[in-house]
Amino acid sequence: MKYMDEFRDPATAKKLVAEIHKLASTSLSQREPLQIMEFCGGHTHTLFKYGIESMLPDNIEMVHGPGCPVCVLPMARVDDCVAIAEQPGVIFTTFGDAMRVPGTRKSLLQAKADGCDVRMVYSPMDALAIARKNPEREVVFFALGFETTMPSTALTLLQAHREGLQNFSLFCNHITTPATMRAILTDPDLRLDGFLAPGHVSMVIGAHPYDFVTRDYHKPLVITGFEPLDILQALWMLVKQFAEGRCEVENQYARIVPEAGNVAGLKAIAEVYETREHSEFRGLGNIGDAGIQIREAYAAYDAEKKLGLPFDFAQGAVGYDPEHLKCADVLRGVMKPWECPAFAKTCNPQNPLGALMVSPEGSCAAYYAYGKLAKRKETV
């Protein structure tokens, strides 16, 4: 499998692991364990699937980050989705993993079971096709995701505008990665030494939006891909920075990530979206300028303005997680999934109580999928 096997070569992996151990033993032995956050849940799954975490020296600890936009979606926003879906004449469209995220009343999947017209789609263009076929119905697409998915929803809205479609709108819940990263860095409960930054997000935004991480917080950062050798090389680059006393933004994923990002994608994002003053995120609280909303020029395609919502987003979230669920602490990286009393007991993939167990990129789903159900097993 050309373009796949090259990034899973065992001999190269062994060399990189040996180099990481060598650097760690000579440069980090007198320090507290390095705490490195992999921001993306895709990286978490690669770490577990290929056993990378267990190959690392004891003085390097991986801290699992927010994972994915579904994971940081507050329950109140799920309630809003259900409220929109319950409106007469609405066809609510969304990606599959968002359908099972619990709200305070019900999930979208439960709303569908109760008679709402909720449909799973594979892209926003699928939702646009549904709108063309159903001109008498309002078709809403649940637009969520970091910068990875923003260009596709922005371009879909622009296409609807060009066609003059009046029955299509976005329920916009996009969020930005740099602002979320800044919120993590200012968390007083979390000690981090560096980041592995998501390759797919960086493919859109480029490398420079991370400059503040090194400039303002003095934490090195390496943009990386999702294959095992990507992760190992990025970790080697990060540890090498510590060993050499450097603090820089480096791009391991240069074969995909241009320094300036995707110019066409960024242009579409700038045309359609602007930042929100207030945005509530599960586990991270209110993060200024991290949430995204549709510009006034395209208000006719903004489901919030077009259909109205029961919850005033600007006033802060309602509907926090139940107290016995520790999703927020896991999201912030201050607790491992197995430390949550509900993990692998009442909360499991068959009956997910929190978004981290629902989403394929959630850290709880990763721990469960790879059998890391308790500390005893994790350290075997």
Side-chain angles (χ1 to χ4, degrees):
M1 296 175 65
K2 188 165 176 60
Y3 306 124
M4 187 72 77
D5 291 344
E6 298 92 324
F7 302 104
R8 300 178 182 180
D9 177 55
T12 307
K14 286 179 182 177
K15 288 179 183 176
L16 283 168
V17 171
E19 285 296 320
I20 292 170
H21 274 265
K22 183 179 176 182
L23 282 171
S25 64
T26 56
S27 306
L28 309 177
S29 56
Q30 302 304 313
R31 296 176 50 120
E32 292 285 321
L34 273 186
Q35 292 196 315
I36 299 172
M37 172 175 277
E38 84 277 9
F39 186 88
C40 177
H43 288 160
T44 307
H45 276 258
T46 301
L47 285 167
F48 287 166
K49 182 177 181 180
Y50 295 97
I52 293 173
E53 197 174 35
S54 62
M55 300 176 195
L56 298 178
D58 291 339
N59 56 355
I60 295 179
E61 179 185 354
M62 301 306 300
V63 179
H64 314 304
C68 73
V70 169
C71 296
V72 295
L73 192 68
M75 296 183 89
R77 268 325 227 188
V78 179
D79 291 345
D80 285 341
C81 291
V82 171
I84 292 172
E86 288 176 337
Q87 293 195 29
V90 166
I91 300 174
F92 194 89
T93 60
T94 180
F95 297 130
D97 55 352
M99 293 185 73
R100 298 177 67 210
V101 180
T104 57
R105 291 194 297 130
K106 61 179 76 173
S107 67
L108 282 166
L109 195 61
Q110 291 166 325
K112 180 179 177 67
D114 291 342
C116 296
D117 195 345
V118 179
R119 304 185 190 184
M120 187 185 80
V121 293
Y122 293 99
S123 80
M125 291 302 286
D126 291 344
L128 196 63
I130 293 172
R132 292 190 192 104
K133 292 178 181 176
N134 297 273
E136 76 289 354
R137 308 274 300 275
E138 177 67 24
V139 177
V140 180
F141 177 70
F142 187 21
L144 77 167
F146 289 103
E147 291 88 341
T148 320
T149 55
M150 280 187 209
S152 64
T153 56
L155 290 167
T156 302
L157 185 150
L158 292 173
Q159 180 64 30
H161 182 62
R162 279 193 293 272
E163 295 181 23
L165 286 178
Q166 303 294 313
N167 66 321
F168 177 78
S169 55
L170 300 179
F171 180 42
C172 183
N173 286 268
H174 285 302
I175 49 180
T176 59
T177 300
T180 307
M181 203 171 272
R182 187 185 291 278
I184 291 170
L185 283 164
T186 54
D187 188 332
D189 297 329
L190 190 57
R191 180 183 72 81
L192 284 177
D193 296 299
F195 283 95
L196 297 183
H200 45 15
V201 166
S202 308
M203 182 177 64
V204 176
I205 67 174
H208 296 303
Y210 301 114
D211 287 345
F212 76 95
V213 177
T214 55
R215 184 189 63 238
D216 300 342
Y217 296 94
H218 311 293
K219 310 292 183 187
L221 179 149
V222 178
I223 298 165
T224 186
F226 298 88
E227 291 297 327
L229 290 189
D230 287 328
I231 300 284
L232 282 171
Q233 186 182 21
L235 285 169
W236 172 75
M237 292 167 69
L238 206 52
V239 177
K240 196 164 185 286
Q241 285 202 43
F242 285 109
E244 296 174 354
R246 293 184 291 116
C247 181
E248 301 171 5
V249 173
E250 292 186 311
N251 185 6
Q252 181 277 333
Y253 208 30
R255 69 182 187 276
I256 299 293
V257 176
E259 287 291 305
N262 181 328
V263 175
L266 290 171
K267 182 180 178 184
I269 290 172
E271 169 72 22
V272 171
Y273 299 123
E274 61 185 1
T275 55
R276 271 182 210 272
E277 187 177 357
H278 300 284
S279 295
E280 187 79 17
F281 297 90
R282 185 187 297 246
L284 301 174
N286 194 320
I287 306 177
D289 295 332
I292 296 297
Q293 62 187 3
I294 297 171
R295 290 186 183 277
E296 188 61 30
Y298 297 103
Y301 301 94
D302 187 344
E304 280 187 62
K305 293 175 179 172
K306 202 170 181 180
L307 303 175
L309 295 174
F311 169 61
D312 184 355
F313 203 51
Q315 298 303 312
V318 294
Y320 291 106
D321 292 333
E323 191 173 341
H324 68 287
L325 297 180
K326 303 302 180 185
C327 304
D329 291 335
V330 175
L331 265 171
R332 291 161 53 224
V334 299
M335 178 181 281
K336 300 291 187 185
W338 43 259
E339 294 179 282
C340 173
F343 175 72
K345 300 181 181 71
T346 55
C347 185
N348 54 63
Q350 290 71 42
N351 181 42
L353 301 180
L356 291 169
M357 188 64 86
V358 174
S359 170
E361 292 192 355
S363 55
C364 290
Y367 268 69
Y368 193 97
Y370 297 104
K372 293 179 177 293
L373 307 183
K375 186 176 184 180
R376 180 182 60 79
K377 292 183 180 180
E378 190 179 55
T379 54
V380 169

